[in-house]
Amino acid sequence: MPSHRYRDVYSRVDIPLATRDWPTARLTQAPLWVPVDLRDGNQALAEPMDPARKRRFFELMVAMGYKEIEVGYPSASQTDFDFVRLLAETDLAPSDVTIVVFTPARRDLIERTVESVRGIRNPVVIHMYTATAPVWRDVVLGQDRAGLTALILAGGRDVLRSAGDLDNVRFEFSPEVFTLTEPDFALEICDAMTGLWDATPDRPVILNLPATVEIATPNVYADQIEYMHRNLARRDGVILSVHPHNDRGTGVACAELAVLAGAQRVEGCLFGNGERTGNVDLVTLALNLHAQGVDPMIDFSDIDEIRRTVAHCNGIDIHARHPYAGDLVHTAFSGTHQDAIRKGLAEHRARAAAEGRAEADTEWRVPYLPIDPSDIGRSYDAVIRVNSQSGKGGIAYLLETAYGIELPRRLQIDLARHVQRRTEQTGREVTAADVWRIFAETYLQSTGPGPVELVNVDVAGRRTTITLRADGVETHCQRDDVGPVEALVAALAERDVAVEILSLHQTSVGTGSATEALTLIEYRDGARSRWAAGRHRSVLTATLDAVLSAAGRAEGGAS
């Protein structure tokens, strides 16, 4: 790899920060969230949203509780301009939602942007940007530092001239490519803009410091943000905002460290859509807070509806492994994971009952699941799925959740062997119904008559009489002071069918009035133990059927 062609960030940006506070800071509350899906996300789509998709996306974000939404780049497209006018002329935007519009520092485009928001009743932010990094100054803009400062201030004056008299309008400035801009120059320009726009606590200016292209480890971005946080003039009149991109795959970490370093506001996209590798993912950021006990102030209780809407509007599917929201992120295939999750869920239910709390109000501490899937509208149905990598815990979990069957540990191990044999043969995942079929084929007595058929059981006082039929001949066996199971075992022994029962377990199949008894018998077959089962509405009949199943399998050498 020709790595010598690239320069590290330290040779390009020298951050004059001798000490730093962010490493010991803690995230204790949510920042101000600003989804930019309708502008930054939209301009990154191969097929930008039409008005219907834009409206649907906007309505989703309002329903989720976002109070500040960047809705478009009205000077760049008629569709964006018309959408802003729709918000101005209808009640689509609740009165407490701030509308943000985006413009470069050019007079005609600023005037077009202000025209789009004129008459709007909502609070409005006019967001002006200009690239400030050396390469952009040299290659794109053809300006030195002094020339670029003059250009930016001229744009700021145009914003004031066009919208300074509007009481519901505030201003935002982004030094684009902040992360590659000399810190002293970024500070100089930002202070000039807050001075020009008269930033005060009553009418604060938003200074947005974007990692337009992610170029360093997250600690570097945190240092850059803390440097600005400490040194900005009129700090109490500034809302310090960040806008991380994800070129290095660490956009979420950059945003979290930036908030630790003093940022109060985060711009990003739902599920991280955006140019190149995308903007920072607001869903992951918010749910990371939720998983640490901090209210994200946004409603993710129906993550699947959010995901469907975003995927439809963007025309981009959400990856199955996307944090929190992907189809498979709460799913365990590994046997050890499944066993731990199953035990954790059982312990959670028991602890909730012991504490007299609802499960939803009980502290969550289930292995491998950082949050309760039900918090975001997911059921437990997909938490454990079974393939060739799975173990006894997952298989037992499927039977328990789908059929109410609780298997003893040794039977879980035995059943897992049979299920794994099937999955390795097919290479496919198995469902709960598949596992039940394998269980029935392996342990339940066949529907046809076996070598020995139970004709009747008669209990009269202390005496139990067993009637068996084999090869068309009925025989009777009587035993005193024993139960039906022991009497049946004795009757089978008289027919030279030996069944040595090691343990007997009772469970059930189904719930409510449709429940059937399921008896599980561990019996000795030569030097090893095996399992058989019986199923019936009657517990006694289920148990006797299990004994006959064991007898037939022992005689036939079933594996």
Side-chain angles (χ1 to χ4, degrees):
M1 297 293 292
S3 302
H4 64 279
R5 300 175 58 221
Y6 303 96
R7 295 170 58 197
D8 67 81
V9 67
Y10 303 100
S11 65
R12 293 181 283 176
V13 178
D14 182 19
I15 306 167
L17 195 67
T19 62
R20 47 196 52 78
D21 296 328
W22 64 260
T24 57
R26 296 292 181 267
L27 296 173
T28 59
Q29 64 181 26
L32 303 172
W33 303 116
V34 185
V36 297
D37 299 80
L38 301 182
R39 193 277 300 174
D40 201 346
N42 187 49
Q43 71 186 35
L45 298 176
E47 296 182 7
M49 291 178 235
D50 57 28
R53 285 188 292 158
K54 262 209 158 189
R55 178 169 181 159
R56 181 174 174 184
F57 208 141
F58 180 81
E59 290 172 336
L60 170 72
M61 291 188 285
V62 169
M64 292 173 68
Y66 287 107
K67 299 301 182 184
E68 187 173 348
I69 302 171
E70 189 170 87
V71 299
Y73 195 155
S75 66
S77 108
Q78 188 63 43
T79 300
D80 277 20
F81 185 92
D82 291 344
F83 185 74
V84 178
R85 292 311 303 158
L86 175 69
L87 299 179
E89 295 164 2
T90 67
D91 295 326
L92 187 60
S95 60
D96 62 345
V97 172
T98 297
I99 303 303
V100 184
V101 288
F102 191 71
T103 181
R106 211 177 84 187
R107 175 174 297 179
D108 58 329
L109 302 182
I110 290 169
E111 291 173 348
R112 176 71 168 164
T113 302
V114 174
E115 182 185 348
S116 74
V117 300
R118 195 167 294 281
I120 197 167
R121 294 175 294 279
N122 295 73
V124 172
V125 170
I126 295 176
H127 179 183
M128 189 188 85
Y129 79 97
T130 302
T132 54
V135 173
W136 274 254
R137 295 197 305 260
D138 297 341
V139 175
V140 181
L141 300 172
Q143 297 280 356
D144 59 12
R145 286 173 55 154
L148 185 64
T149 301
L151 184 153
I152 292 170
L153 289 173
R157 285 189 287 270
D158 288 334
V159 169
L160 274 180
R161 187 179 305 109
S162 299
D165 61 334
L166 302 177
D167 291 337
N168 63 329
V169 172
R170 292 186 292 112
F171 306 129
E172 175 178 357
F173 172 66
S174 286
E176 190 189 6
V177 209
F178 161 78
T179 45
L180 280 171
T181 301
E182 307 93 328
D184 66 313
F185 185 48
L187 183 64
E188 176 186 322
I189 291 178
C190 287
D191 284 346
M193 291 302 291
T194 57
L196 175 66
W197 285 342
D198 191 24
T200 66
D202 294 332
R203 194 177 185 181
V205 168
I206 300 165
L207 290 177
N208 185 55
L209 307 178
T212 310
V213 180
E214 193 180 30
I215 47 82
T217 50
N219 62 296
V220 175
Y221 191 44
D223 281 354
Q224 292 173 310
I225 299 303
E226 183 159 334
Y227 169 78
M228 298 292 285
H229 168 60
R230 288 187 184 186
N231 293 287
L232 281 169
R234 303 173 189 81
R235 182 64 185 88
D236 60 350
V238 169
I239 296 173
L240 191 58
S241 176
V242 292
H243 181 119
H245 276 250
N246 197 45
D247 298 86
R248 290 170 54 91
T250 57
V252 166
C254 281
E256 291 177 331
L257 267 59
V259 173
L260 293 175
Q264 301 150 282
R265 179 179 182 271
V266 177
E267 297 184 354
C269 287
L270 274 65
F271 306 113
N273 179 47
E275 301 284 3
R276 303 177 309 280
T277 57
N279 292 277
V280 70
D281 176 8
L282 295 187
V283 176
T284 300
L285 281 172
L287 290 175
N288 281 355
L289 289 177
H290 172 68
Q292 297 296 310
V294 177
D295 186 353
M297 308 301 288
I298 301 296
D299 183 2
F300 292 98
S301 60
D302 191 352
I303 197 72
D304 289 328
E305 176 59 24
I306 295 168
R307 186 183 63 173
R308 282 190 295 268
T309 300
V310 174
H312 167 76
C313 293
N314 286 338
I316 300 173
D317 289 336
I318 308 303
H319 195 280
R321 297 292 183 190
H322 195 101
Y324 300 105
D327 278 335
L328 297 178
V329 297
H330 299 113
T331 300
F333 291 101
S334 160
T336 53
H337 288 209
Q338 292 173 342
D339 186 58
I341 290 171
R342 187 176 68 87
K343 290 174 179 173
L345 291 172
E347 191 275 340
H348 180 75
R349 288 191 295 270
R351 184 160 34 86
E355 295 173 0
R357 299 172 181 267
E359 289 182 34
D361 295 327
T362 302
E363 180 187 354
W364 183 256
R365 55 185 195 193
V366 175
Y368 297 111
L369 294 178
I371 67 168
D372 184 345
S374 68
D375 290 349
I376 54 175
R378 293 275 176 86
S379 71
Y380 296 125
D381 293 345
V383 169
I384 292 178
R385 290 163 58 178
V386 173
N387 63 13
S388 61
Q389 303 299 306
S390 306
K392 59 181 175 54
I395 292 163
Y397 178 86
L398 290 186
L399 286 181
E400 184 176 344
T401 54
Y403 298 98
I405 299 170
E406 297 183 8
L407 301 181
R409 176 180 171 80
R410 291 189 301 280
L411 179 52
Q412 293 175 24
I413 295 169
D414 194 72
L415 175 59
R417 183 167 53 90
H418 294 279
V419 173
Q420 187 167 35
R421 184 184 304 162
R422 183 72 57 87
T423 57
E424 288 177 345
Q425 288 171 350
T426 64
R428 294 196 302 270
E429 178 184 352
V430 293
T431 64
D434 295 327
V435 173
W436 172 244
R437 279 193 294 272
I438 295 169
F439 177 91
E441 292 167 2
T442 306
Y443 305 111
L444 283 171
Q445 187 178 26
S446 64
T447 55
V452 180
E453 180 183 356
L454 177 63
V455 176
N456 188 50
V457 177
D458 181 58
V459 179
R462 297 167 52 192
R463 175 165 294 179
T464 301
T465 302
I466 302 292
T467 302
L468 300 177
R469 181 187 295 124
D471 299 325
V473 178
E474 291 188 2
T475 58
H476 306 278
C477 176
Q478 294 181 342
R479 288 289 186 274
D480 292 334
D481 298 323
V482 298
V485 173
E486 293 88 340
L488 177 57
V489 169
L492 289 168
E494 290 183 358
R495 302 293 308 224
D496 295 325
V497 180
V499 179
E500 182 184 353
I501 297 176
L502 303 176
S503 63
L504 184 150
H505 304 265
Q506 298 288 351
T507 183
S508 59
V509 182
T511 58
S513 60
T515 300
E516 290 185 304
L518 183 67
T519 301
L520 310 168
I521 286 180
E522 185 179 19
Y523 64 97
R524 189 180 305 282
D525 184 11
R528 58 177 292 187
S529 64
R530 298 186 187 276
W531 290 86
R535 174 187 181 188
H536 199 273
R537 293 295 295 272
S538 161
V539 174
L540 176 58
T541 303
T543 303
L544 298 176
D545 283 349
V547 174
L548 290 173
S549 177
R553 291 167 192 277
E555 189 172 71
S559 61

